[in-house]
């Protein structure tokens, strides 16, 4: 949880509480997180809000208000407001403000204002939750809600494996990368508990199962990020449990055999098209188009607003492409200034995390 920093310098499950998705969280807190997540993910495939009265956007806003009301009226068991730090909240506000100003100058103001208001609503809800509950309970319940939503999407979308070769959500219609993200954050928490000798048998058994779900999504970036996170957990842990060392030693030959003597990893990485992967194919096309998207000085500096989700591209089989990268989206939606603010927010958050 990086929106507010309230954690002590050394985190011990025995002195705080279990940061794990496999626990029984407070019912109200779990309900709020589920509402926040459901109102944040896509409800329709390939349709993006561009302004006007949209029933889906109205319904999501209503859910957001409900989540905030439940959070505000929750019994307070967490730290007092005087103990909370602002964290990245001012940076988020600055980023949204820059995007809104850019949108007003480019004529996409109303739609961007609606989307920015929804982000503000979610941010305020998270701030209230961190003030109402202990930080470890907020984070642990968030991972529980993420797994619950991913489980529903996975079960209802299993048929996508036969048609696309990747796992997509059914209800809600989650993208494969969204499922990977929803599973990935709880996996990092479980990995932390494993290397710090706090994991139960069920938590240890859940790790390979959840890794299998990430594999089925075909999310290469998500899997690489998870492996990097696990590597950092091992490096930053003072003493690795002997059982984990033995398990790693036993798994290493299997991993080497799979990587070098079978086509499994190569087919996963290339998805059957080595040339396209090595040249980054459509991604470089979208990146170049995003850099050159702005047609005025104000758009280059302040962006064109959060409502811009598709940009024109010059490619063989398409004339438009969805912005599917955070940093590329920032260049288009918030310009050079907004991208700089986002980079500073990420850098400061990382520094703060490393200082804990």
């Amino acid at each position: 949880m990086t929106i507010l920093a309230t954690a002590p310098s050394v985190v011990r499950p025995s002195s705080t509480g279990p940061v794990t998705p496999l626990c029984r969280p407070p019912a109200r807190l779990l309900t709020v997180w589920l509402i926040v997540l459901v109102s944040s993910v896509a409800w329709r495939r390939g349709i993006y809000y561009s302004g006007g009265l949209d029933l889906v956007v109205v319904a999501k806003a209503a859910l957001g208000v409900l989540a905030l009301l439940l959070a505000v009226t929750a019994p307070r068991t967490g730290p007092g407001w005087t103990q909370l730090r602002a964290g990245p909240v001012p940076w988020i506000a600055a980023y949204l403000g820059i995007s809104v100003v850019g949108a007003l100058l480019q004529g996409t103001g109303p739609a961007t204002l609606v989307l920015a208001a929804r982000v503000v609503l979610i941010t305020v809800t998270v701030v209230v939750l961190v003030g109402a509950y202990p930080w470890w309970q907020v984070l642990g319940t968030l991972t529980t809600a993420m797994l619950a939503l991913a489980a529903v999407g996975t079960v209802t979308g299993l048929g996508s494996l036969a048609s696309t070769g990747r796992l997509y959500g059914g209800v809600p219609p989650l993208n494969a990368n969204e499922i990977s993200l929803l599973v990935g954050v709880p996996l990092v928490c479980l990995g932390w508990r494993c290397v710090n000798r706090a994991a139960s048998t069920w938590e240890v058994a859940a790790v390979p199962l959840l890794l299998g779900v990430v594999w089925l999504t075909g999310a290469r970036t998500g899997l690489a990020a998870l492996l990097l996170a696990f590597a950092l957990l091992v490096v930053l842990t003072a003493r690795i449990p002997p059982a984990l060392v033995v398990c790693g030693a036993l798994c290493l030959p299997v991993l080497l055999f799979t990587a070098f003597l079978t086509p499994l990893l190569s087919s996963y990485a290339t998805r059957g098209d080595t040339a396209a992967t090595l040249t980054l194919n459509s991604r470089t096309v979208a990146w170049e188009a995003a850099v050159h998207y702005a047609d005025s000085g104000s758009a280059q500096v302040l962006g064109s607003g959060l409502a811009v989700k598709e940009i024109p591209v010059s490619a063989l089989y398409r004339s438009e492409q969805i912005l599917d990268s955070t940093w590329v989206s920032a260049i288009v939606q918030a310009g050079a200034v907004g991208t700089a603010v986002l980079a500073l927010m990420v850098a400061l958050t990382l520094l703060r995390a490393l200082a804990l």
Side-chain angles (χ1 to χ4, degrees):
M1 181 59 60
T2 58
I3 290 183
L4 293 175
T6 62
S9 58
V10 178
V11 179
R12 291 185 174 89
S14 59
S15 61
T16 55
V19 182
T20 173
L22 303 182
C23 65
R24 182 177 294 179
R28 181 187 289 259
L29 182 56
L30 179 60
T31 301
V32 173
W33 273 131
L34 285 173
I35 294 174
V36 169
L37 291 175
V38 169
S39 65
S40 302
V41 300
W43 290 8
R44 301 169 293 190
R45 294 190 191 277
I47 300 177
Y48 305 97
Y49 179 67
S50 58
L53 183 61
D54 189 300
L55 293 179
V56 170
V57 173
V58 172
K60 287 186 173 184
L63 286 176
V65 172
L66 175 61
L68 179 58
L69 290 176
L70 289 173
V72 169
T73 57
R76 298 184 61 82
T77 59
W81 289 110
T82 57
Q83 300 181 39
L84 299 181
R85 302 182 180 92
V89 172
W91 297 97
I92 295 174
Y95 181 83
L96 293 176
I98 292 166
S99 181
V100 168
V101 172
L104 291 173
L105 294 176
Q106 299 301 314
T108 60
T112 294
L113 281 170
V114 172
L115 295 175
R118 286 186 53 210
V119 176
V120 170
L121 188 62
I122 293 173
T123 303
V124 173
T125 302
V126 175
V127 170
V128 173
L129 288 179
V130 175
Y133 294 91
W135 72 268
W136 54 268
Q137 204 168 59
V138 174
L139 181 56
T141 306
L142 170 60
T143 59
T144 302
M146 294 176 78
L147 272 190
L149 183 60
V152 174
T154 297
V155 171
T156 57
L158 285 174
S160 61
L161 287 171
S163 58
T164 67
R166 299 181 64 188
L167 179 62
Y168 288 83
V171 180
L174 299 170
N175 185 276
N177 293 332
E178 289 177 317
I179 295 178
S180 175
L181 175 62
L182 289 171
V183 173
V185 175
L187 258 174
V188 173
C189 290
L190 292 176
W192 183 92
R193 290 179 63 79
C194 288
V195 299
N196 284 277
R197 306 185 182 196
S200 66
T201 303
W202 288 107
E203 289 171 334
V204 174
V207 171
L209 176 63
L210 296 178
L211 280 173
V213 173
V214 174
W215 179 274
L216 291 177
T217 65
R220 297 170 294 193
T221 304
L223 182 60
L226 271 176
L227 295 178
L228 176 61
F230 288 157
L232 288 174
L233 285 174
V234 172
V235 170
L236 297 176
T237 301
R239 184 181 178 187
I240 306 298
L244 189 61
V245 175
V246 172
C247 181
L250 293 175
C251 290
L252 185 59
V254 178
L255 293 175
L256 293 175
F257 177 82
T258 304
F260 295 104
L261 299 178
T262 72
L264 189 61
L265 287 181
S266 61
S267 62
Y268 182 90
T270 61
R271 294 177 187 163
D273 192 350
T274 305
T277 303
L278 293 177
T279 60
L280 294 180
N281 195 17
S282 61
R283 299 200 177 194
T284 53
V285 173
W287 295 344
E288 183 177 359
V291 171
H292 297 93
Y293 176 78
D295 56 2
S296 65
S298 62
Q300 291 178 344
V301 175
L302 302 176
S304 301
L306 298 176
V308 180
K309 298 293 177 63
E310 294 179 288
I311 57 175
V313 296
S314 298
L316 184 60
Y317 299 110
R318 63 194 183 282
S319 59
E320 289 186 334
Q321 184 155 325
I322 299 169
L323 292 171
D324 60 353
S325 167
T326 301
W327 294 105
V328 171
S329 300
I331 293 173
V332 173
Q333 297 173 350
V337 176
T339 303
V341 168
L342 188 63
L344 282 172
M345 182 185 74
V346 171
L348 291 174
T349 302
L350 288 174
L351 289 175
R352 174 61 186 167
L354 292 173
L356 291 177

